[in-house]
Amino acid sequence: MDTLRTFLNSLAPDEQDRFAADCGTSLGYIRKCISGGGRFSAALCIAIERKARTAQPDLIVRCEDLRPDLLDDWLYMRNSGCAEVDSAQGISTPITAGEMA
């Protein structure tokens, strides 16, 4: 969660709100989860990782850090062939249906 906190704090307040909205949630809910008062859904973890990587590729926010209790699931998804590995950053990116065609 520290990486997500660092990422959010690097954004201007209006950018923080936009980021949360782009992820399909509110900034208040993200802050609540960071402080331990809530838990991100798996889908929201994926949206946060994807949007944060797009916004700031050098600061990696990972699903594994947001929901470590789902570590086995994240590892399965990253290693199942449904993701491509970005070897430069050591992270995986889900492959969309259009990319598979």
Side-chain angles (χ1 to χ4, degrees), residues 6-71:
T6 299
F7 168 75
L8 283 176
N9 290 339
S10 74
L11 301 176
D14 62 320
E15 293 173 321
Q16 293 176 10
D17 288 326
R18 189 171 336 118
F19 172 79
D22 288 347
C23 291
T25 192
S26 67
L27 180 59
Y29 185 72
I30 291 176
R31 294 275 186 207
K32 179 180 177 179
C33 291
I34 289 173
S35 68
R39 189 160 74 170
F40 297 120
S41 69
L44 184 52
C45 289
I46 293 167
I48 289 170
E49 179 176 321
R50 183 178 293 146
K51 299 294 182 182
R53 182 176 182 206
T54 301
Q56 205 171 81
D58 58 321
L59 183 63
I60 301 170
V61 178
R62 296 179 54 107
C63 294
E64 290 88 332
D65 299 325
L66 303 176
R67 285 288 303 273
D69 59 310
L70 298 177
L71 180 60

Side-chain angles (χ1 to χ4, degrees), residues 67-78:
R67 285 288 303 273
D69 59 310
L70 298 177
L71 180 60
D72 289 340
D73 297 318
W74 302 129
L75 292 174
Y76 173 79
M77 293 303 296
R78 292 191 191 278

